[in-house]
Amino acid sequence: MKRTRDDILKVDVDQEYLDQHIDSFRDGIEHILTIDPTLKEIIEHSPFTMFLKENVAKDSMDLYFNKLAGSIISQQISGAAAKNIRGRIVDMFDGTFPNYQTLHETFQDSKKKQAFKECGLSQRKLMYIESLVGYFFNNEDSIKDLFAFADDDKIIEELVANIKGIGPWSAKMFLVTGLHRLNVFAAEDLGIARGCSRYLEQRPEILKKLHSKRTLIKKSKIKHKSFKWKIHDEDVVELCGDLFSPHRTLFMFVLWRMSDTNMEVVINNEKRFMSK
C-alpha cells in the first residue's frame, strides 16, 4: 500500500512536534528529510521558534517596518544591547514600538528626535532609521505591491537601493522574518558558512558532487583565525543550499544549528530572530 504524505511524516518526525509548527514547515521538513534523512535528530532537537504557529504574526505594513527597524537597531551590537535600546524606545512611546507615521511626525520636532536618539542610537543608526521612515512614509502603495508580488531578488534589490543601512544580508533576513519567504539562503553569513563546513565535512561525497557542478568560482569574504573548520568558497555554500530548494530557508536554520556545538546558544539566537 502506498504511504500518504502524512504517513511519511509520522514515520520520520514526531507528529506532536510537527503540529506545533505552520504547514509550510511540515512541507519543508518532508522535503529536507527526503534529501538527507540524517538531519532528523538536529531538526527534532527543539521546536523552530520562527515557524511556531503561535509566533506567526499577520502581515501588515507596521510589521514590515518593525522588522526592518529592528534589523537596523541590532546591527553590530549584542542581542542584549539591542533589546535594551528597543525597550527604551517602547517606553518612550507608551509601551508600543512606533510605526513609521508616528516616527515621521516625531522627526519633525528636533527635541523629540533627540530624545529618540538618546534611547541608545548612534548618529549613523538614527540616519538609517530616518531613511527607513522616509521610504515607508512616501511609498506605501508601491511597497505593498513590492512585498505582495515581487520575487525575492527584486525585493532585496529595492530595499538595498532605497534604505540606508540595509544591505543584502539584512534584506534576506527580512524576507525570512517579515515576509516568511521559504527559499532564502545567505551563503555569506558566518554561521551558515560554519554550519555548511561542518555539514560537508561529514559528507565528503556531497562536497565532491558540489565541486563537479561549479561554473563560476565565488571566493568567500569570510575570514577567521581558527583552523577548526574549513571556509568553503561562497559558490560551494550556495550550491549546498540549492540542494534543498525550494525550502532553503529551513535548511539555513538547520545549518545555524550545526554551526555551534552549544545548542542552547543557537536556540537563543533563533528566539532573538523574532525581534528582528
Side-chain angles (χ1 to χ4, degrees), residues 79-256:
K83 184 177 180 180
N84 287 337
I85 293 172
R86 191 179 182 89
R88 294 186 200 110
I89 293 173
V90 167
D91 288 342
M92 179 179 171
F93 291 90
D94 300 323
T96 303
F97 193 86
N99 58 31
Y100 52 97
Q101 295 96 335
T102 298
L103 281 181
H104 181 266
E105 182 179 345
T106 297
F107 292 160
Q108 307 309 304
D109 185 314
S110 60
K111 290 183 179 179
K112 290 181 180 179
K113 181 177 177 179
Q114 180 61 26
F116 180 80
K117 179 179 182 296
E118 289 174 357
C119 289
L121 297 170
S122 66
Q123 186 61 41
R124 184 178 295 275
K125 285 192 178 180
L126 177 63
M127 179 182 68
Y128 292 167
I129 295 291
E130 283 189 276
S131 174
L132 174 64
V133 169
Y135 178 56
F136 268 65
F137 189 82
N138 296 313
N139 301 280
E140 285 188 356
D141 291 340
S142 62
I143 291 173
K144 289 176 183 177
D145 288 343
L146 177 72
F147 293 166
F149 303 115
D151 62 27
D152 292 355
D153 288 341
K154 180 61 176 176
I155 293 173
I156 292 171
E157 178 186 338
E158 289 295 313
L159 294 180
V160 172
N162 289 287
I163 306 171
K164 292 183 175 66
I166 296 295
W169 183 89
S170 295
K172 288 179 182 179
M173 295 307 103
F174 170 72
L175 289 175
V176 175
T177 63
L179 300 182
H180 320 300
R181 298 295 176 96
L182 300 175
N183 201 28
V184 179
F185 194 77
E188 70 274 26
D189 180 86
L190 174 61
I192 297 305
R194 184 166 58 229
C196 188
S197 177
R198 290 174 175 162
Y199 178 79
L200 294 175
E201 181 182 18
Q202 300 165 15
R203 299 162 178 82
E205 72 286 354
I206 294 179
L207 178 59
K208 184 177 180 180
K209 289 180 180 178
L210 295 181
H211 274 273
S212 70
K213 295 179 179 179
R214 300 178 76 180
T215 56
L216 178 64
I217 294 176
K218 189 176 180 181
K219 294 292 184 182
S220 174
K221 296 178 182 178
I222 294 171
K223 308 292 182 184
H224 71 78
K225 297 180 181 179
S226 171
F227 294 96
K228 294 181 180 179
W229 59 280
K230 175 181 172 59
I231 299 177
H232 292 287
D233 289 335
E234 195 169 303
D235 65 293
V236 173
V237 180
E238 288 174 346
L239 286 169
C240 185
D242 289 345
L243 294 175
F244 297 87
S245 183
H247 296 281
R248 294 184 302 164
T249 298
L250 185 51
F251 180 60
M252 188 163 62
F253 275 84
V254 171
L255 289 183
W256 272 319

Side-chain angles (χ1 to χ4, degrees), residues 24-58:
S24 58
F25 178 90
R26 291 165 55 92
D27 294 337
I29 290 299
E30 176 183 7
H31 182 76
I32 285 176
L33 292 181
T34 298
I35 302 297
D36 189 343
T38 68
L39 294 173
K40 178 178 182 292
E41 182 177 353
I42 198 165
I43 288 172
E44 282 191 320
H45 177 277
S46 56
F48 285 78
T49 305
M50 179 63 59
F51 304 96
L52 290 175
K53 291 177 180 177
E54 64 193 52
N55 289 333
V56 178
K58 185 177 180 180

